[in-house]
Amino acid sequence: MSERPYVLLSCAMSVDGYIDDASPERLRLSTAADWDRVDAVRAGCDAIMVGAGTVRRDDPRLLVRSAARREQRVRRGLPPDLTKVTVTAGGDLDPDARFFTTGESPKLVYAPSGAAPGLAERLAGRAEVVDAGDPVSLPALLGDLARRGVRRLMVEGGGEVHTRFLTAGLVDELQLVVAPFFIGDPAAPRFAGAGVYPQSPAAPMRLEEATRIGDLVLLRYRPGGGR
């Protein structure tokens, strides 16, 4: 078995690189057609991951939406939904969040050593809490997922998680959808933050696909070192 899963990072952003605005309501960057495309990509993966901030802010379900795709997964001997994965630094997660209460597949929470025991008690019956070191080690997290049979991991945010995966050189494929508008608010969250990226001017990513989806555009990149 591979040492780690294939990591596909998926994100929608504004032209100026924001993944949301600063209002209390979630900003819709995608269209129905793009959501259907994302659903198809999800259905081809084994696990889906978001950061704890995304769980708190967006309360996502992270399910395969299409009944036909769910049935296709079952016919292939897979569960209808993906294993859900999140990572937290402090353990501030609500057991009643939809991440934990929807879907029948496993829910995994990777936490630092100091927070893991208390979080495991709070999430008992809702999720398995995994001690992933202090601070949480992404290679250790990915190694644990591989040992659980996860071969393809879809990472959907937020910006801090994107930054950690990209700067660590742990992304095999980047699917970036660009929405045709600007946010322009420095208080809003961005696709990725400051860091030292291996995907530099000296080692640029390779563009594999550019597809128009109405007024959106999908850019599919292979970062250097991809599988």
Side-chain angles (χ1 to χ4, degrees), residues 5-227:
Y6 182 95
V7 176
L8 186 159
L9 196 157
S10 173
C11 183
M13 70 176 193
S14 64
V15 171
D16 52 345
Y18 290 93
I19 58 175
D20 204 347
D21 57 21
S23 72
E25 301 297 322
R26 183 183 178 190
L27 176 68
R28 300 293 178 179
L29 289 146
S30 293
T31 60
D34 185 52
W35 273 116
D36 187 64
R37 178 197 65 81
V38 170
D39 194 60
V41 175
R42 281 185 183 180
C45 295
D46 301 302
I48 186 167
M49 178 179 178
V50 296
T54 298
V55 174
R56 289 189 292 268
R57 182 178 63 251
D58 297 341
D59 195 21
R61 293 179 298 172
L62 304 180
L63 305 178
V64 175
R65 299 183 178 196
S66 163
R69 293 181 184 123
R70 294 168 66 85
E71 292 172 4
Q72 289 169 2
R73 284 178 58 87
V74 171
R75 287 199 296 269
R76 289 163 49 204
L78 300 172
D81 288 305
L82 285 65
T83 295
K84 297 184 195 180
V85 182
T86 191
V87 58
T88 178
D92 180 17
L93 289 166
D94 181 357
D96 292 325
R98 293 192 295 182
F99 178 96
F100 302 111
T101 61
T102 60
E104 301 301 322
S105 293
K107 289 89 176 174
L108 302 173
V109 179
Y110 291 86
S113 302
L119 186 58
E121 185 175 341
R122 282 206 357 258
L123 296 179
R126 293 287 172 91
E128 179 182 350
V129 177
V130 182
D131 183 338
D134 199 0
V136 170
S137 163
L138 288 185
L141 180 158
L142 292 175
D144 184 71
L145 288 176
R147 289 188 290 273
R148 295 172 186 268
V150 174
R151 294 168 296 177
R152 192 173 181 90
L153 172 67
M154 188 173 184
V155 177
E156 285 200 2
E160 183 177 348
V161 170
H162 296 160
T163 301
R164 289 195 63 190
F165 270 91
L166 287 164
T167 55
L170 293 172
V171 174
D172 300 297
E173 179 178 343
L174 171 61
Q175 294 190 6
L176 190 62
V177 167
V178 181
F181 49 78
F182 297 84
I183 302 299
D185 185 346
R190 299 189 68 92
F191 159 61
V196 179
Y197 290 84
Q199 309 86 11
S200 67
M205 298 185 292
R206 185 171 72 248
L207 180 64
E208 297 284 348
E209 176 187 351
T211 301
R212 181 174 180 175
I213 308 171
D215 288 328
L216 308 178
V217 62
L218 164 67
L219 303 173
R220 188 167 67 86
Y221 288 102
R222 293 277 190 179
R227 300 178 178 186

